[in-house]
């Protein structure tokens, strides 16, 4: 490899890094493997298994989805600007993957919230069953609140979501009030 | 393997199921639990990896496991056994929380199970060891052990609120902490005793007041009937004189009360600051001994509040709490005795009306505290936002964002206002309710008492006695409140104390062996043998690195950002200890060397320079406080720092602030090089020493460095490869692995990774007209 080749290769790599490869039904097809994973065929080329990542998981979970190789390198293959350009089957496939990737039990009921010695002890009912966890209180980041949506991180960094605060009973909201 | 436990250790209930079903077949290497199916439904899983099979067990039940039950019933589990020869490509797909474990079986990637963060570490281990088994590689014994780490309090079964802090705030031995804390007050035991005596005296004086103000005033003096009172013995018949005496007594009581208060305050002022200062000093001294990992794991803010707030918190209980227990008890008993002897019936009424106020206080006080702490929290947010804004003022101005910053600050400010309003509202509600309850109680007592005075009830009571009586009733409410919150106060203080003691007791990860032999003079030969290291368990940053550098040689370390270059030098200075393998200096393992010898012989010049608050002279002499002006001057000349220092109005005596404000990046860098020259180490580490400066300054620094590296073993990390051309040997690190090794010429001829980087850089530099 001479100097020019290297430089050419380098500028190509940079070029690749700087261009956004827009994925649309015209150039991209997603399939499901037997094991339930997603593969991508991009412009007729099989790219193997891929991971789909939300660029804006809180504010725009169905826009700007980054599709990346499933290996350690996690190279970006392209971006889906809006999931709705795909057919309903692909949308369902991608959504199912996102649901797993952004898995978060939803809190349906708050049995008790108690603060002791700088830690908040939660006892809740989630859509996945009863659960108890501890979160550091007062520390920034353990409770994220966007209007009426609340995400609580426990001390393992597991996340729990209250999709709509107003759907809880006034009594539960009162219990939560001091911790949000 | 102290403090380590084998990864194959299973819970007893699982062990008996595994044994009774004869599941294993060969030696169990590692056991892991997982908690979700591949569809992210909660369900318990166990993974058992033996030398030739992976066994997966689950009970197929969906839903979270009962939070109060730590182990599922393993007899309900069914198990699937995969032979390792049939498996390939084990993978972990990482999710936002936890991840999924999958394997290739018969050419198809199949998900096995998913897991939340609590189980991540172990499943990652299974994946790693399985990969090695599939490749047929040997598995080192030490990989099959992990640090002993319990997640639940053995006493109450609650998860530890902080994973790395094995303290259950509920079950900690508060008494032990208390006595340990008390030892800090030992030098002041006489002072404390004096405080207690003063408290009792105040209580006594307090208890006299209702007598003066009630029976004596109304029944004896104003009713002109001194019989059966203390005035009976006085040969004075003029009630105006008696009134004067009574007033003097009352003034005396009030003066005594104030006097006791002042003396107490003076004593407290003597003890508290001293004890707090002593605690803070101790904490600071302990923090200094801890390893670097302690600091990377904690926020500086948290540490500061520990030192400052906790120390103040713990002393409070000794000053404002404990000394008042006895006097409060005394007041209660004395008041009750007086009340019951005066009128048992009225006393019963008075005591029966007390609880509502106490209950209101017990119920509402914690909520008030909570509101207050939220108020405090919003204040802190506001301060940090303000700090953010002022520090970043240049950026704000540069982008013309003053208006939006104003809005952002306003938002935080509104939160402060809300929190304040909430706290005030609640406080008003609480105070009002409390006083209503208290007033109702006294009105009730007074009304019934008045009925005694009017002889509706028998025996009749004088007006003065009633006044004295109600005086004692109101005396009671103070102690009743005191006892309602002292216990919670005590717990909180003990928790603060616990946090302080944790720092005092923390053991550094990197410790000096007692058997470490002195080795004051070293030659500087460095050898790394199969070094593997990760900051977190299961995440290796350096993988199996072996290399050697002869004394006096220069080793250039090249690699992308995040490849592990800085980590490598951190291991040599023993800021961290290797996970596997060993590092030798002059043939001696760094773990067998004394810290003082190691630190004395190794100096670091890094991209991040830190200038302490003090003069430039002090900053250079930091490496060797014994150095005189001559040595410091010579070092500064060698570091080409002398010139700019002399141009400063105050020369070497120029005060530089914390963070070195007022000096440019290049100037700070040259001071830190001068510091390293003065340290005169045998091993010198340059970690991107010139990355932060312009080309002109870099040239100056380079010439300074040339002077510095003479006769020393030098490890130099640099992005600009031109600076490494003179290195005796170069290594290229990529993704934690050593991928190339040799001299500049050898690596250029090899046309590998180094050659590629070199070509790109020299071309780029030539284009900018600064080629070498």
């Amino acid at each position: 490899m001479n100097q020019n080749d290297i430089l050419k290769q380098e500028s190509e790599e940079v070029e690749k890094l700087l261009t956004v490869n827009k994925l649309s039904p015209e150039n991209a097809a997603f399939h499901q493997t037997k094991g339930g994973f997603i593969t991508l065929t991009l412009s007729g080329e099989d790219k193997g298994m891929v991971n789909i990542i939300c660029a804006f998981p809180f504010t725009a979970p169905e826009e700007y989805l980054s599709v990346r190789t499933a290996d350690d390198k996690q190279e970006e293959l392209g971006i889906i600007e809006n999931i709705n350009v795909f057919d309903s089957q692909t949308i369902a496939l991608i959504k199912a993957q996102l649901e797993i990737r952004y898995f978060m039990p939803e809190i349906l009921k708050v049995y008790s919230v108690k603060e002791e010695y700088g830690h908040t002890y939660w006892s809740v009912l989630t859509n996945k069953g009863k659960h108890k966890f501890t979160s550091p209180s007062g520390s920034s980041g353990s409770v994220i609140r966007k209007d009426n949506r609340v995400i609580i991180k426990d001390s393992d960094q597991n996340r729990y979501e209250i999709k709509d605060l107003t759907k809880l009973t006034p009594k539960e909201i009162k219990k939560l009030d001091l911790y949000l | 393997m102290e403090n380590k436990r084998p990864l194959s250790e299973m819970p007893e209930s699982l062990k008996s199921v595994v044994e009774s079903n004869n599941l294993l077949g060969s030696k169990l290497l590692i056991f892991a639990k997982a908690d979700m199916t591949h569809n992210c439904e909660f369900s318990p899983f166990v993974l058992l990896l033996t030398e030739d099979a992976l066994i997966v067990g689950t009970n197929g039940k969906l839903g979270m496991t009962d939070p109060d039950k730590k182990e599922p019933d393993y007899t309900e589990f069914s198990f699937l056994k995969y032979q390792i020869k049939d498996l390939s490509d084990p993978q972990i797909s990482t999710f936002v929380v936890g991840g999924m474990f999958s394997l290739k079986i018969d050419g198809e990637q199949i998900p096995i199970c998913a897991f939340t963060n609590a189980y991540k570490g172990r499943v990652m281990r299974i994946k790693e060891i399985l990969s090695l088994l599939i490749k047929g590689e040997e598995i080192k014994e030490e990989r099959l052990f992990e640090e002993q780490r319990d997640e639940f309090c053995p006493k109450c079964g609650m998860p530890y609120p902080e994973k790395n802090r094995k303290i259950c705030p509920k079950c900690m031995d508060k008494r032990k902490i208390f006595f340990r804390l008390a030892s800090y007050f030992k030098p002041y035991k006489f002072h404390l005793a004096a405080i207690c005596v003063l408290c009792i005296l105040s209580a006594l004086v307090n208890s006299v007041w209702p007598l003066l103000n009630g029976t004596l005033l109304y029944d004896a003096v104003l009713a002109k009937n001194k019989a059966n009172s203390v005035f009976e013995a006085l040969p004075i018949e003029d009630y105006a004189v008696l009134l004067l005496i009574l007033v003097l007594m009352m003034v005396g009581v009030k003066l005594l009360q104030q006097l006791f208060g002042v003396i107490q305050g003076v004593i407290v002022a003597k003890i508290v600051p001293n004890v707090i200062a002593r605690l803070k000093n101790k904490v600071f001294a302990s923090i200094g001994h801890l390893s670097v990992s302690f600091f990377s794991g904690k926020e500086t803010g948290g540490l500061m509040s520990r030192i400052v707030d906790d120390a103040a918190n713990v002393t409070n209980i000794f000053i404002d709490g404990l000394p008042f227990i006895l006097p409060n008890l005394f007041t209660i008993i004395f008041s009750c005795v007086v009340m019951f002897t005066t009128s048992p019936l009225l006393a019963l009424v008075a005591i029966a009306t007390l609880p509502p106020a106490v209950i209101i206080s017990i119920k509402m006080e914690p909520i008030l505290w909570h509101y207050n702490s939220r108020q405090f929290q919003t204040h802190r947010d506001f301060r940090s936002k303000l700090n953010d804004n002022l520090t970043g003022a240049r950026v704000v101005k540069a982008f013309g964002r003053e208006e939006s910053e104003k809005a952002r600050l306003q938002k935080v400010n509104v939160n402060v206002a809300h929190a304040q309003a909430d706290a005030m509202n609640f406080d008003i509600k609480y105070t009002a309710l409390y006083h209503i309850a208290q007033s109702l109680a006294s009105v009730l007592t007074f009304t019934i008492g008045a009925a005694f005075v009017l002889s509706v009830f028998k025996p009749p009571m004088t007006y003065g006695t009633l006044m004295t009586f109600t005086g004692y009733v109101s005396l009671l409410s103070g102690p009743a409140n005191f006892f309602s919150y002292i216990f919670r106060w005590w717990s909180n203080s003990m928790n603060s104390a616990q946090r302080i003691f944790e720092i005092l007791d923390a053991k550094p990860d990197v410790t000096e062996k007692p058997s470490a032999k002195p080795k004051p003079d070293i030659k500087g030969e460095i050898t790394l043998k199969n070094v593997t290291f990760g900051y977190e368990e299961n995440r290796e940053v350096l993988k199996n690195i072996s290399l050697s550098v002869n004394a006096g040689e220069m080793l250039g370390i090249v690699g992308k950002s995040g490849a592990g270059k800085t980590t490598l030098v951190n291991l040599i200075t023993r800021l961290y200890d290797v996970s596997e393998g060993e590092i030798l200096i002059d043939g001696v393992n760094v773990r067998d060397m004394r810290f003082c010898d190691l630190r004395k012989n190794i100096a670091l010049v890094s991209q991040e320079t830190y200038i302490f608050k003090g003069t430039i002279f002090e900053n250079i002499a930091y490496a060797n406080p014994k150095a005189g002006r001559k040595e410091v001057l010579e070092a500064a000349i060698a570091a080409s720092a002398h010139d700019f220092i002399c141009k400063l109005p105050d020369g070497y005596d120029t005060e530089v602030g914390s963070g070195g404000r007022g000096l440019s990046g290049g100037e700070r860098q040259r001071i830190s090089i001068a510091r390293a020259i003065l340290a005169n180490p045998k091993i010198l580490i340059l970690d991107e020493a010139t990355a932060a400066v312009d080309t002109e300054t870099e040239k100056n620094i380079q010439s300074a460095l040339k002077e510095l590296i003479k006769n020393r073993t030098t490890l130099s990390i640099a992005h600009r490869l031109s600076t490494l051309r003179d290195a005796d040997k170069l290594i290229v690190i990529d993704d934690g692995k050593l991928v190339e090794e040799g001299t500049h010429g050898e690596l250029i001829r090899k046309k590998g990774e180094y050659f590629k980087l070199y070509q790109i850089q020299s071309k780029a530099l030539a284009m900018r007209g600064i080629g070498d």
Side-chain angles (χ1 to χ4, degrees):
Chain A
M1 207 163 27
N2 66 30
Q3 188 176 335
N4 284 335
D5 288 340
I6 290 174
L7 289 174
K8 209 174 137 203
Q9 192 191 331
E10 182 69 14
S11 61
E12 273 170 15
E13 272 173 31
V14 171
E15 190 90 347
K16 228 167 96 186
L17 269 176
L18 296 180
T19 43
V20 174
N21 194 5
K22 226 164 88 176
L23 301 185
S24 64
E26 284 76 52
N27 61 2
F30 294 93
H31 306 281
Q32 192 169 27
T33 68
K34 268 188 215 158
F37 295 97
I38 287 194
T39 60
L40 170 67
T41 314
L42 182 61
S43 307
E45 194 186 336
D46 180 16
K47 294 288 184 185
M49 269 161 43
V50 292
N51 285 332
I52 302 174
I53 293 165
C54 291
F56 305 95
F58 293 134
T59 48
E62 295 186 357
E63 290 168 40
Y64 300 99
L65 306 177
S66 167
V67 179
R68 289 170 181 267
T69 56
D71 54 16
D72 287 346
K73 277 197 174 165
Q74 299 199 30
E75 199 185 324
E76 183 170 275
L77 300 169
I79 283 185
I80 302 173
E81 280 189 1
N82 193 320
I83 195 172
N84 291 327
V85 297
F86 286 94
D87 60 82
S88 59
Q89 208 182 344
T90 309
I91 293 176
L93 188 63
I94 293 174
K95 276 193 177 171
Q97 286 295 312
L98 290 179
E99 208 148 285
I100 289 177
R101 186 179 172 80
Y102 292 92
F103 166 76
M104 242 188 294
E106 187 189 341
I107 294 177
L108 304 174
K109 237 177 172 8
V110 179
Y111 294 128
S112 76
V113 197
K114 233 181 10 186
E115 208 225 350
E116 258 182 317
Y117 316 110
H119 295 278
T120 313
Y121 294 80
W122 303 77
S123 173
V124 296
L125 174 71
T126 72
N127 58 343
K128 306 282 179 186
K130 274 187 196 173
H131 197 50
K132 280 184 188 174
F133 60 89
T134 320
S135 68
S137 31
S139 103
S140 51
S142 67
V143 174
I144 308 167
R145 183 171 176 180
K146 291 254 185 278
D147 303 322
N148 282 323
R149 185 175 178 217
V150 181
I151 289 164
I152 301 152
K153 290 186 203 166
D154 73 5
S155 35
D156 274 322
Q157 295 293 309
N158 292 320
R159 298 170 182 209
Y160 307 87
E161 182 187 24
I162 299 173
K163 280 212 168 113
D164 187 353
L165 206 57
T166 56
K167 295 227 169 104
L168 295 177
T169 63
K171 212 172 156 194
E172 285 171 314
I173 295 175
K174 208 173 162 205
K175 264 185 226 163
L176 283 174
D177 184 44
L178 283 173
Y179 303 91
L180 301 181
Chain B
M1 299 269 172
E2 57 217 77
N3 287 331
K4 296 215 167 181
R5 70 172 164 213
L7 293 170
S8 56
E9 205 174 272
M10 293 183 273
E12 281 306 316
S13 53
L14 175 62
K15 205 170 163 184
S16 63
V17 171
V18 167
E19 274 165 10
S20 65
N21 291 320
N22 213 358
L23 273 173
L24 295 179
S26 58
K27 187 186 158 197
L28 178 66
L29 299 175
I30 164 168
F31 147 76
K33 285 201 272 190
D35 55 348
M36 287 196 287
T37 69
H38 63 280
N39 290 326
C40 290
E41 290 292 342
F42 281 95
S43 188
F45 277 83
V46 288
L47 303 169
L48 303 160
L49 183 65
T50 69
E51 281 169 332
D52 50 30
L54 173 72
I55 300 155
V56 182
T58 179
N59 60 10
K61 282 188 188 164
L62 295 186
M64 277 183 174
T65 40
D66 184 351
D68 293 322
K69 216 163 115 189
K70 270 173 275 155
E71 295 294 338
D73 183 358
Y74 291 110
T75 54
E76 295 174 349
F77 273 47
S78 55
F79 295 88
L80 255 174
K81 195 169 187 176
Y82 301 99
Q83 293 303 322
I84 285 174
K85 59 180 171 40
D86 301 330
L87 304 175
S88 63
D89 210 8
Q91 276 189 20
I92 301 273
S93 325
T94 335
F95 301 155
V96 172
V97 170
M100 189 199 287
F101 175 48
S102 67
L103 284 166
K104 207 171 248 177
I105 306 169
D106 295 330
E108 189 71 51
Q109 197 75 25
I110 301 291
I112 302 295
C113 61
F115 46 85
T116 57
N117 281 338
Y119 301 96
K120 194 172 178 180
R122 272 295 183 95
V123 182
M124 297 277 264
R125 278 282 178 107
I126 289 243
K127 182 234 154 186
E128 255 168 55
I129 293 177
L130 182 58
S131 304
L132 293 174
L133 284 174
I134 290 171
K135 283 186 214 152
E137 282 177 26
E138 181 208 0
I139 294 171
K140 285 186 203 144
E141 191 63 21
E142 59 216 50
R143 280 186 166 252
L144 299 175
F145 285 83
E146 70 167 5
E147 295 286 333
Q148 191 98 32
R149 199 176 279 173
D150 296 318
E151 284 153 10
F152 297 92
C153 167
K155 213 166 157 189
C156 70
M158 279 300 282
Y160 288 124
E162 284 170 77
K163 286 283 124 91
N164 296 324
R165 183 179 172 231
K166 257 177 263 168
I167 301 290
C168 177
K170 281 185 189 165
C171 303
M172 64 188 186
D173 188 350
K174 296 191 188 75
R175 265 210 316 222
K176 211 162 130 194
I177 301 169
F178 174 77
F179 284 118
R180 183 164 171 198
L181 199 61
S183 69
Y184 282 82
F185 288 88
K186 228 177 180 174
Y188 305 100
K189 52 179 184 269
F190 294 116
H191 294 84
L192 278 180
I195 291 181
C196 286
V197 170
L198 284 167
C199 283
I200 293 172
L201 287 176
S202 310
L204 268 170
V205 172
N206 270 341
S207 311
V208 173
W209 183 259
L211 281 174
L212 302 181
N213 179 19
T215 37
L216 267 186
L217 177 65
Y218 292 101
D219 298 349
V221 179
L222 295 182
K224 297 190 176 178
N225 174 17
K226 66 174 190 169
N228 297 324
S229 78
V230 281
F231 287 150
E232 195 175 8
L234 287 180
I236 302 166
E237 292 306 324
D238 187 345
Y239 280 91
V241 178
L242 281 179
L243 180 65
L244 186 69
I245 293 174
L246 180 63
V247 170
L248 284 176
M249 280 167 81
M250 287 167 107
V251 171
V253 163
K254 284 287 167 200
L255 279 178
L256 270 180
Q257 267 178 355
Q258 289 308 315
L259 182 71
F260 293 147
V262 169
I263 299 177
Q264 203 174 330
V266 170
I267 300 178
V268 166
K270 195 175 159 57
I271 305 177
V272 177
N274 284 326
V275 174
I276 294 184
R278 213 174 126 215
L279 267 173
K280 279 191 216 163
N281 272 342
K282 271 214 140 182
V283 172
F284 187 69
S286 310
I287 287 179
H289 288 130
L290 292 171
S291 310
V292 187
S293 53
F294 179 84
F295 300 97
S296 27
K298 299 207 166 49
E299 287 172 37
T300 336
L303 273 181
M304 300 240 293
S305 89
R306 273 198 192 189
I307 301 177
V308 179
D309 299 342
D310 286 342
N313 241 350
V314 296
T315 37
N316 281 346
I317 188 96
F318 278 86
I319 303 304
D320 294 332
L322 300 184
F324 291 90
I325 290 182
L326 225 60
N328 276 314
L329 211 61
F330 170 80
T331 308
I332 290 181
I333 295 169
F334 189 82
S335 301
C336 285
V337 168
V338 175
M339 280 158 64
F340 276 97
T341 46
T342 319
S343 166
L345 185 63
L346 195 54
L348 276 178
V349 173
I351 287 179
T353 53
L354 264 184
V358 175
I359 289 170
I360 287 171
S361 155
I362 290 176
K363 287 269 171 210
M364 291 179 82
E365 190 104 335
I367 305 175
L368 183 65
W369 282 20
H370 216 125
Y371 276 113
N372 284 338
S373 71
R374 195 163 73 165
Q375 194 184 339
F376 177 73
Q377 172 88 29
T378 54
H379 266 294
R380 209 166 49 185
D381 288 349
F382 181 76
R383 263 206 302 272
S384 89
K385 182 82 205 55
L386 196 64
N387 180 35
D388 208 23
N389 235 290
L390 297 179
T391 328
R394 280 164 55 124
V395 184
V396 175
K397 286 227 172 292
F399 286 93
R401 301 282 293 177
E402 292 93 337
E403 281 306 312
S404 72
E405 282 304 317
K406 214 163 88 188
R408 265 170 49 154
L409 197 70
Q410 187 125 34
K411 212 170 143 190
V412 189
N413 203 5
V414 167
N415 285 345
V416 176
H418 280 320
Q420 248 166 357
D422 285 351
M424 279 163 82
N425 282 338
F426 191 82
D427 196 14
I428 293 167
K429 239 193 285 178
Y430 166 52
T431 320
L433 263 175
Y434 183 78
H435 283 123
I436 289 171
Q438 225 179 14
S439 310
L440 278 180
S442 51
V443 167
L444 196 66
T445 316
F446 200 84
T447 315
I448 295 174
F452 276 101
V453 175
L454 296 173
S455 297
V456 178
F457 298 131
K458 301 278 174 215
M461 190 187 260
T462 61
Y463 179 66
T465 315
L466 177 60
M467 289 312 287
T468 303
F469 194 92
T470 47
Y472 282 111
V473 174
S474 60
L475 262 194
L476 269 184
S477 68
N481 263 336
F482 175 83
F483 285 108
S484 74
Y485 68 70
I486 183 79
F487 296 103
R488 195 173 52 235
W489 191 9
W490 187 66
S491 304
N492 282 334
S493 278
M494 290 309 108
N495 193 42
S496 279
Q498 164 68 29
R499 279 206 295 260
I500 288 183
F501 291 144
E502 254 170 67
I503 297 186
L504 298 186
D505 299 340
K507 296 258 182 305
D509 303 336
V510 180
T511 48
E512 186 177 281
K513 276 191 191 170
S515 59
K517 291 200 177 63
K519 193 171 172 31
D521 295 308
I522 65 165
K523 290 200 297 269
E525 183 193 308
I526 303 170
T527 316
L528 270 73
K529 284 187 186 165
N530 308 97
V531 168
T532 297
F533 172 76
Y535 293 98
E536 297 160 40
E537 242 179 283
N538 309 318
R539 272 199 58 207
E540 287 169 357
V541 181
L542 290 177
K543 296 161 197 162
N544 207 15
I545 292 200
S546 297
L547 62 93
S548 66
V549 191
N550 292 330
E553 275 187 0
M554 176 174 173
L555 174 78
I557 306 173
V558 181
K560 290 184 200 136
S561 305
K565 306 182 296 284
T566 303
T567 307
L568 185 73
V569 296
N570 281 348
L571 291 178
I572 295 171
T573 51
R574 249 198 117 190
L575 290 183
Y576 298 91
D577 267 338
V578 297
S579 318
E580 287 168 35
E582 53 182 4
I583 295 175
L584 312 170
I585 292 179
D586 291 359
V588 181
N589 193 325
V590 286
R591 289 187 182 211
D592 296 325
M593 290 176 75
R594 294 190 310 179
F595 278 140
C596 60
D597 295 333
L598 209 56
R599 306 277 188 255
K600 205 181 88 196
N601 283 299
I602 303 180
L604 170 77
V605 179
S606 82
Q607 188 180 341
E608 287 167 46
T609 50
Y610 199 83
I611 304 291
F612 291 94
K613 204 167 154 49
T615 64
I616 290 183
F617 173 84
E618 285 162 353
N619 264 290
I620 297 176
Y622 194 79
N624 181 4
K626 285 185 202 138
R629 290 197 183 87
K630 186 164 171 281
E631 288 98 333
V632 168
L633 201 84
E634 279 169 1
I637 292 171
S640 30
H642 177 68
D643 209 35
F644 88 81
I645 297 172
C646 285
K647 285 179 189 159
L648 295 169
D650 299 336
Y652 284 85
D653 293 330
T654 305
E655 284 281 342
V656 279
S658 56
R661 211 168 269 270
L663 295 177
S664 77
E667 289 166 346
R668 288 213 294 264
Q669 192 59 274
R670 277 176 278 174
I671 287 183
S672 74
I673 292 173
R675 209 185 262 165
I677 293 177
L678 193 66
N680 193 20
K682 276 291 170 218
I683 297 171
L684 176 70
I685 294 167
L686 305 173
D687 186 356
E688 299 281 6
T690 59
V693 297
D694 61 80
T695 326
E696 185 60 32
T697 319
E698 188 193 352
K699 274 190 181 153
N700 278 333
I701 294 179
Q702 280 303 339
S703 54
L705 286 176
K706 266 197 185 136
E707 195 57 38
L708 177 58
I709 63 179
K710 274 183 196 160
N711 302 323
R712 301 180 212 279
T713 311
T714 308
L715 307 177
S716 178
I717 299 175
H719 274 127
R720 284 182 214 172
L721 301 182
S722 54
T723 59
L724 297 177
R725 265 175 85 166
D726 301 330
D728 298 285
K729 199 195 308 185
L730 289 155
I731 56 167
V732 182
I733 296 187
D734 189 28
D735 194 22
K737 281 178 262 190
L738 199 160
V739 288
E740 269 174 39
E741 190 176 0
T743 62
H744 172 72
E746 283 166 7
L747 292 180
I748 291 291
R749 281 194 293 280
K750 198 176 170 192
K751 297 205 167 171
E753 211 44 41
Y754 181 78
F755 174 72
K756 212 169 126 181
L757 286 173
Y758 190 76
Q759 290 295 343
I760 294 165
Q761 283 197 6
S762 52
K763 174 79 179 178
L765 291 177
M767 269 161 39
R768 280 189 247 154
I770 44 177
D772 28 315

